[in-house]
Amino acid sequence: METAELLKYIVLIVVFSIFAHHYYRVLVKNNTDSAETIARKTSMDKEQILTLISLQRDEIEALYKETYTINNELTNYIKKLNESKKELQDKNQELSALYTISKKINSNLNIDTLFQDMDELLKGILAYDILAIMLLDDEKKFLIVKYWNGPPIEGFLNMKFAINGKGVCALCVREKRALLIKDVNSIDNIIIVHDDMKQEMVAPIMYNGEVIGVFIVDTFKENAFDEHKLSILCSFASLASTALYNAKLYSDLKKTYEDTAKSLAKAIEAKDTYTRGHCDRVTELSVKTANYLGLSNDRLYKLKIAAILHDIGKIGIPEGILNKPGILTSKEYSIVKKHPSIGYEILSDIEYFDDIRKIIYQHHERFDGKGYPLGVDGRSLLTESKILALADAFDAMTSERPYRKPFSVEKALEEIKRNSGTQFDPDIASAFIEMMQKEH
């Protein structure tokens, strides 16, 4: 029955109840006078009429009592209905929040920002005081603290806990079940990370039936956590499992690409003895500059890989030219100038490196359009390429060469300032100089 229709019937019954009660009182009060009046107008004597009225009164009294009982039952039903409505509203809010969480976290492959998103979204539902996220290591022997939002504890982040040892988290992993600790002081082997801790909940993060980590939440309030809150944490853990698994795979894949890039860079430096360590220094400078300029994490990562591999094309340059102790001839220099194009071609079969190889291709272009191999000006160049070009030039100036002494940092910065707007993008040059002067 619809709520509006139910309320209509309730109102009608209440009105009838009031009317019946009023009629009953009036009838009792006037029954004697009514009997005398009726007796005068009919052949019935007064006693017969009073007997009839008494019977009618009993019927009305019974009807009134029944109406009163129904009214009480309806009142209780309305109360329960309101309680159910409140419970449904709370459930709807929780489901809506969990849907929002699922939508947001499953679109995030950056594991660090994913942890922060999870913390922010989950806290809106559970209102805890401490959150820790622990993931199993590759050998599935230890839980490692990967995220911590609580009182500062030196060395706690990345701390390892054996899953075959004591403790609530280890038990959660072994038995693949969530745990609610209603009083942390009643458990001997629980880790008390703050004196105000009162309760703790732990839920396993499961993927394909296997535990990959745990969520731990603590509260400083008594009776703040219950079985319902634990079920919410379990629902969240279930939603988060796929996102965490995918983010971890993506993180591992990125590390594999980075390790591969570093191996290739070592191969380049083994051939070109004068640039040993150059790729590492250029990478560090590029990443610092990109951070200073506020580039996104995705762009920063691609710049990092591009910086590691920016000289990969030198694999195709003869060693005699690369390791020549003196100044190169114009013909030799024209051969060296091919290395951005060679690097671009070497990486052409790796789809993931499409954006990275474009950065590498442009890292010897100039802001005024007098660079190589394209000869285009700064408006057509990637920001990442312009950062890499500046970092590459700075390291070249401050590194020793067979034909000259290294520049000091101050002199190199003066050269960058002098060539700002011609060789270098003026905005990037200004930011780089500012950053380096703060450091030195």
Side-chain angles (χ1 to χ4, degrees):
M1 184 182 292
E2 295 291 334
T3 303
E5 188 178 353
L6 177 63
L7 289 174
K8 182 178 73 174
Y9 282 112
I10 291 169
V11 170
L12 286 173
I13 291 171
V14 170
V15 170
F16 175 75
S17 175
I18 294 169
F19 173 76
H21 178 64
H22 176 72
Y23 180 72
Y24 168 70
R25 291 180 63 185
V26 170
L27 185 63
V28 170
K29 180 178 181 300
N30 300 318
N31 61 2
T32 304
D33 294 339
S34 299
E36 291 175 353
T37 303
I38 294 169
R40 286 196 299 268
K41 294 181 180 181
T42 67
S43 58
M44 296 173 65
D45 60 29
K46 184 178 177 181
E47 290 302 320
Q48 288 176 321
I49 293 169
L50 285 173
T51 301
L52 180 61
I53 289 172
S54 178
L55 291 171
Q56 290 176 342
R57 184 185 63 191
D58 291 343
E59 289 176 3
I60 291 172
E61 185 177 357
L63 178 61
Y64 169 72
K65 288 180 179 178
E66 185 179 350
T67 305
Y68 183 78
T69 302
I70 292 171
N71 187 45
N72 283 340
E73 288 176 355
L74 284 171
T75 301
N76 291 332
Y77 180 75
I78 292 169
K79 184 179 178 182
K80 289 179 180 178
L81 194 65
N82 286 331
E83 290 172 355
S84 297
K85 183 180 177 182
K86 176 68 168 59
E87 188 177 336
L88 284 172
Q89 286 175 337
D90 291 343
K91 286 282 187 185
N92 186 52
Q93 287 177 349
E94 288 169 9
L95 288 171
S96 178
L98 288 170
Y99 173 75
T100 302
I101 288 167
S102 175
K103 191 174 178 181
K104 185 168 184 178
I105 64 178
N106 280 296
S107 62
N108 189 351
L109 286 173
N110 185 310
I111 200 160
D112 295 323
T113 58
L114 179 61
F115 287 144
Q116 292 171 359
D117 286 345
M118 287 178 174
D119 187 5
E120 179 185 337
L121 294 164
L122 184 58
K123 194 165 190 175
I125 305 176
L126 294 180
Y128 49 77
D129 295 295
I130 296 173
L131 169 69
I133 303 173
M134 305 172 77
L135 298 180
L136 273 178
D137 66 346
D138 292 335
E139 296 180 355
K140 298 182 179 181
K141 291 182 178 179
F142 294 95
L143 280 168
I144 304 172
V145 181
K146 290 296 185 180
Y147 182 82
W148 171 255
N149 185 1
I153 301 175
E154 188 176 352
F156 195 66
L157 196 64
N158 292 318
M159 188 176 288
K160 293 183 177 182
F161 296 88
I163 64 170
N164 61 356
K166 294 181 179 180
V168 174
C169 295
L171 182 63
C172 172
V173 173
R174 290 197 304 269
E175 299 190 0
K176 298 182 180 181
R177 66 182 178 96
L179 299 166
L180 168 60
I181 311 302
K182 293 184 177 181
D183 180 8
V184 296
N185 294 313
S186 67
I187 305 295
D188 293 333
N189 59 2
I190 196 170
I191 301 172
I192 304 294
V193 294
H194 195 281
D195 292 340
D196 293 331
M197 270 179 63
K198 297 292 190 296
Q199 292 182 296
E200 182 170 88
M201 294 192 297
V202 184
I205 305 168
M206 308 280 291
Y207 188 82
N208 283 344
E210 295 298 324
V211 178
I212 62 171
V214 294
F215 279 110
I216 308 106
V217 292
D218 298 311
T219 179
F220 299 158
K221 303 178 185 67
E222 292 181 353
N223 302 317
F225 293 159
D226 53 24
E227 294 295 336
H228 177 61
K229 293 286 180 71
L230 183 64
S231 70
I232 292 174
L233 182 62
C234 290
S235 296
F236 182 87
S238 178
L239 289 173
S241 62
T242 302
L244 275 172
Y245 185 78
N246 289 339
K248 188 177 184 302
L249 281 181
Y250 185 67
S251 178
D252 292 344
L253 182 63
K254 285 172 67 177
K255 188 177 184 305
T256 300
Y257 278 130
E258 190 172 328
D259 291 344
T260 302
K262 287 178 179 178
S263 297
L264 289 170
K266 287 180 181 179
I268 301 161
E269 292 182 351
K271 184 176 181 179
D272 183 4
T273 56
Y274 294 115
T275 60
R276 189 161 294 146
H278 169 69
C279 290
D280 288 340
R281 294 190 298 271
V282 170
T283 300
E284 183 181 354
L285 283 169
S286 297
V287 169
K288 282 165 61 176
T289 307
N291 267 319
Y292 197 78
L293 289 167
L295 265 66
S296 68
N297 288 330
D298 183 58
R299 294 178 69 185
L300 192 148
Y301 175 75
K302 288 176 181 177
L303 172 58
K304 181 180 181 180
I305 300 299
I308 294 171
L309 294 174
H310 75 280
D311 277 339
I312 190 173
K314 286 184 177 179
I315 288 175
I317 307 300
E319 286 186 43
I321 295 176
L322 287 177
N323 297 319
K324 184 177 178 179
I327 302 295
L328 298 176
T329 65
S330 58
K331 183 177 180 181
E332 289 168 337
Y333 185 53
S334 66
I335 294 172
V336 171
K337 286 166 66 175
K338 292 179 181 179
H339 79 272
S341 300
I342 296 171
Y344 184 79
E345 289 301 319
I346 288 172
L347 301 174
S348 62
D349 291 332
I350 307 174
E351 186 177 345
Y352 182 79
F353 280 1
D354 277 351
D355 292 335
I356 293 167
R357 68 196 189 107
K358 289 173 187 174
I359 299 170
I360 293 170
Y361 194 37
Q362 297 178 2
H363 84 277
H364 274 295
E365 300 292 344
R366 290 169 52 108
F367 188 75
D368 58 10
K370 296 179 180 179
Y372 63 87
L374 297 171
V376 295
D377 64 29
R379 292 171 299 180
S380 304
L381 300 175
L382 297 168
T383 299
E384 291 87 339
S385 296
K386 292 185 283 188
I387 293 172
L388 179 54
L390 194 152
D392 189 31
F394 179 83
D395 186 70
M397 286 187 282
T398 54
S399 298
E400 188 170 355
R401 289 291 184 266
Y403 48 87
R404 65 160 175 81
K405 294 283 186 182
F407 286 9
S408 65
V409 171
E410 292 76 14
K411 186 176 179 181
L413 292 178
E414 286 175 10
E415 281 295 302
I416 289 171
K417 186 175 182 179
R418 187 171 66 83
N419 288 282
S420 175
T422 53
Q423 183 176 353
F424 307 115
D425 182 303
D427 293 332
I428 294 174
S430 176
F432 184 85
I433 292 168
E434 184 181 280
M435 178 187 74
M436 294 301 290
Q437 285 177 338
K438 285 181 180 178
E439 288 187 3
H440 295 274

